[in-house]
Each structure stands twice: as C-alpha cells, then as structure tokens.
Amino acid sequence: MTIPTSLTEIFRQKFGAAPAFIARAPGRVNLLGEHVDYNDGFVLPAAIDRATYIAFSPADSEQTLALSTAETTLWAADFNHQAIFSPKTLAAKTQPDGSPLPEWAWYPAGMMWALTQAGLAAPAMKAVFSSDVPRGSGLSSSASIEMVFGVAWQKLGGWSIPPMQLAQLGQKAENKYVGVNCGIMDQFASACGEADRLLYLDCRSLTWQAVPLPKNASIVVADTTIRRKLTSGEYNNRRNACEEAVRLLKADLPGITALRDVSVEAFNRFSSRLPVEVEKRARHVVEEVDRSRQAIPLLESGNLAQFGKLMNDCHASLRDLYEVSCPELDVMARVAQLLPGCYGARLTGAGFGGCTVNLVAQDQAEDFAKALAAGYESETGLHPEIYICRASAGAGLLE
Ligand code: NG1
C-alpha cells in the first residue's frame, strides 16, 4: 500500500472522515558542497524519491473560534503517537495538558511558530503524517517534515509564498525552535526540487539553477544503517569553529564575512594564525567551496571522472579534516570507490552515520549496488539498504 493510501485510512480511523488534502515533501541527497551551506558556499543537492506525506483537514470549527487556543492534533503514524499543540503552548513546547511536546512534534510546531512570526496564518489542523525518508541518515528527514507542514499551512492559511521563502522559514524553525544551527540546503532542496535535476545553489545570494543529471549517470544512495544520535552539539561546534576562523582570519583579510570569501591560496598564507582544530575545520570548508565551484562546468562537459574525484576528495576531507565520518561510512565509501562504474562516493549530509552518495555509470548501477551491499556486509556484518535514486519534484499538494 502506498503511504498516501495508508494515511487516508489511518486518518479516517482517527478522525472519522476522509482528509481534505494530502501533501508531500521529499528528502534530499547532496552530491557536492558539504558543510558549506552555513559558510555561504555552493551546494549541489537533489530532492529524492523518498518523502514525508501528510493527510490533513482544518480542525473542527468550534475549536477554531479562539485562535490562540485552537488545537492542532497530529498523529505520527511511524511512531503510533499523538501530539497536540496550539499557538498558546508553542513557546513552552508543551501540550495543552501541560505535558512536554514529544521531540518529533518540534518540527511541525517549529514551523507553526516560524510562520506565525512571519505574519502568515497557520490555522489549527488535524493531521496524520508518515515518512519513508530514514531518520538521522543524512537525507534530511527533518527538512521534509518542515516543508510538508509548510505546504499544509499554506493551503489552510490561504496564502502563497515562493518555495525559497518557505524554505527560509523552515530553516528558521530548525535554527530557533528546534535548536540546530543548520544552513539552508535541506529545506531549499525539499521545497525547490525538480524531477531528474540537480540543484546548484549559491547559499549567499540564494540564486540557484537546475542542472540535468548527466544521462549516463545514476545516483545511488547507500545507507550504512548507523543512525546518528545527539549530534546537534557536534554540528553546532563545527559551525562555531568556522565562525571563529573567520574572526581570526579577519586580522589579515579584513574584507571577509564568511569562509566562502577565502581562497585556498589566501588560506594557505594565513592559516598558521588558527588553532590546530579550527584550522582543520576551516581548511575543509575553504577547499570544499573550491571543489563545488568546479561542479557545473564538469557536469556540463560530462567530465564525470573528474567530478567523481572531487566527491572522493570531499569524503577524505570530511573524514580527516572536518571529522564527521564514522568507520561504517568510511567502509561504505572505500568499497564503492573501488567498484567498476563508480565515478565517486562519499558521505552525504551532516555525517556521524547515515548514508553515502555514489555517482555511478547508469548501465552498471544495478551490479554496483549488489557488489557494494556484499562488500559492506562482509566487512561490517551489517545489512545495508542500497537504492538507485531518482531526483524528484519539490514539496506540494497531491491531486
Ligand atoms: P542533514 O544531514 O540533513 O542533517 C545537515 C544540515 C545542512 C547541512 C548539512 C551538511 C540540518 C537540518 N541540516 O544536513 O544544513 O549543513 O548537514 O552539509 O542539520
């Protein structure tokens, strides 16, 4: 049964009628430009064919009379768990009975909070949602939840804003409500995705272009099955190190406002000013921005060998300099890089567990996936999930 069909059934059981609407928002994979979105760099994600779905209707009319107390009732089908919140209980992250809001509900509640702050109506709703984006796997399950609720409230609130603006509000929810100081990449990819296209985003100007995925290449996602936990502290530490590097480099490079402004050559000249750990973190970012600047010409000229080499270099840098890999991700990338047809393989997303992204010759992708699963399993004893992934459209209502 598809997720929308099963959500419709669950909605009927819980709320006694069919949902008025169903919306979908995809997860994403990122090919190049990792941990650079919060350094004003360039990223190259694609929305994927895994998504979060929500079946929803406006809350019952008697409830909606008092706006600040009108209750949104959510059922998380993946957890068999309910949460209730209203504008009045948002700030305290509690439910109307005073109990704490479960953490999974922080993402929708954060979205309501960010929309309300922006003066956009987020009327009370009843909803059931579910996702086939694996959680904590670097495929942006959190952004897909934020974007699917953004689309739902856009429908119920009767307003309309450009997808990029919805993405920015999702980022605000994650930064200020959930407490992860993430960049714009995930929400952007989920909101603005296009079928069979990669998205090249300048995270400073927020201008972007859709780039066709080369015809002879497939994106293969390989899930180590290792889930990252409690990593928001590590993530925020990396971001702080980047900000510290900018502050210290300003002594020699007064014009810079982010690591994106520092060339590899200038960095090499002045990096001795930085404490060892800060230097490693900043070097990853400066070199990764340099790699991601090369992406479009390489894709346009079909130079997948060189593009893949940049992906491999990115993995080594995330492992050795940014230190966000883990042994299982290293095995998955190393095994892949040696297989026939593989242009490049690296961890995708924040790291600390989750998935690798592989760029593979299309006619070898099936064999690649099988050999990678076997190689990973024989080294780790873990049974990975590996799938050939299609770039998909961004968040929206389903007909
Ligand atoms: P994932 O792996 O989806 O958590 C995180 C950040 C992104 C970006 C990447 C690293 C969140 C929600 N998103 O992605 O903004 O910085 O890491 O490139 O934390």
Side-chain angles (χ1 to χ4, degrees):
M1 201 192 299
T2 64
I3 294 184
T5 313
S6 76
L7 282 189
T8 303
E9 281 195 9
I10 299 169
F11 190 97
R12 267 184 207 284
Q13 287 161 17
K14 292 230 62 87
F15 299 113
F21 309 100
I22 296 187
R24 165 196 175 273
R28 67 98 189 91
V29 68
N30 184 28
L31 272 88
L32 212 54
E34 210 65 89
H35 284 282
V36 300
D37 58 348
Y38 51 88
N39 291 293
D40 282 0
F42 306 87
V43 293
L44 188 66
I48 59 173
D49 46 359
R50 297 231 169 170
T52 300
Y53 296 83
I54 178 177
F56 64 102
S57 291
D60 300 332
S61 55
E62 60 273 19
Q63 266 199 8
T64 52
L65 291 177
L67 264 184
S68 68
T69 50
E71 289 173 3
T72 285
T73 305
L74 300 184
W75 179 256
D78 300 333
F79 307 126
N80 278 332
H81 199 208
Q82 177 171 285
I84 301 177
F85 55 83
S86 72
K88 209 173 154 202
T89 65
L90 275 183
K93 291 200 178 90
T94 53
Q95 308 199 61
D97 67 2
S99 64
L101 201 57
E103 276 192 32
W104 61 261
W106 290 9
Y107 300 92
M111 206 57 209
M112 177 186 261
W113 173 84
L115 293 172
T116 312
Q117 289 254 315
L120 296 166
M125 68 162 98
K126 43 192 185 179
V128 177
F129 77 104
S130 172
S131 187
D132 62 2
V133 184
R135 281 180 296 281
S137 66
L139 299 179
S140 302
S141 58
S142 64
S144 73
I145 298 173
E146 289 147 9
M147 291 303 93
V148 91
F149 277 88
V151 166
W153 272 309
Q154 175 159 262
K155 182 68 190 171
L156 296 182
W159 42 266
S160 173
I161 57 175
M164 178 62 93
Q165 210 177 321
L166 199 62
Q168 288 174 289
L169 291 169
Q171 183 195 13
K172 184 170 175 187
E174 185 109 18
N175 290 171
K176 304 267 193 269
Y177 194 85
V178 178
V180 177
N181 217 357
C182 65
I184 188 70
M185 170 169 68
D186 301 354
Q187 293 82 5
F188 155 74
S190 183
C192 300
E194 290 190 15
D196 302 320
R197 297 279 187 279
L198 303 171
L199 312 168
Y200 188 67
L201 171 70
D202 177 335
C203 297
R204 172 170 284 167
S205 66
L206 298 187
T207 52
W208 59 280
Q209 66 183 102
V211 197
L213 180 65
K215 284 210 166 30
N216 48 347
S218 291
I219 299 172
V220 180
V221 172
D223 189 341
T224 61
T225 71
I226 302 296
R227 292 289 168 262
R228 59 180 200 229
K229 291 191 204 98
L230 303 173
T231 48
S232 58
E234 286 294 333
Y235 184 90
N236 290 344
N237 286 344
R238 297 300 185 283
R239 186 165 182 160
N240 292 340
C242 295
E243 283 163 10
E244 175 72 354
V246 171
R247 200 179 62 73
L248 294 170
L249 288 169
K250 268 189 171 170
D252 296 301
L253 301 164
I256 65 170
T257 59
L259 285 175
R260 175 240 182 91
D261 300 316
V262 183
S263 67
V264 174
E265 183 268 327
F267 187 76
N268 287 338
R269 225 171 336 133
F270 300 118
S271 61
S272 57
R273 278 189 177 274
L274 305 178
V276 177
E277 191 174 288
V278 172
E279 196 270 343
K280 281 164 79 177
R281 307 296 187 244
R283 178 175 295 283
H284 162 74
V285 172
V286 167
E287 293 179 352
E288 180 70 353
V289 169
D290 187 58
R291 280 189 284 271
S292 49
R293 282 182 197 275
Q294 303 170 47
I296 296 302
L298 289 175
L299 288 173
E300 282 175 351
S301 64
N303 191 347
L304 297 183
Q306 181 57 21
F307 184 90
K309 181 181 177 304
L310 297 181
M311 291 175 71
N312 295 346
D313 292 348
C314 170
H315 184 81
S317 177
L318 290 167
R319 180 190 63 210
D320 301 335
L321 297 176
Y322 223 59
E323 297 181 282
V324 292
S325 191
C326 67
E328 294 82 0
L329 280 168
D330 292 341
V331 170
M332 193 71 97
R334 176 168 48 73
V335 171
Q337 287 169 11
L338 296 172
L339 286 172
C342 180
Y343 295 111
R346 65 175 199 81
L347 76 83
T348 191
F352 309 103
C355 295
T356 62
V357 58
N358 305 267
L359 193 67
V360 182
Q362 202 174 43
D363 54 357
Q364 286 167 283
E366 299 273 355
D367 291 344
F368 168 87
K370 282 187 202 128
L372 180 56
Y376 179 77
E377 194 164 345
S378 82
E379 281 204 39
T380 61
L382 296 167
H383 189 62
E385 197 202 345
I386 300 188
Y387 60 99
I388 300 169
C389 155
R390 287 206 59 172
S392 86
L397 289 174
L398 296 186
E399 288 307 319

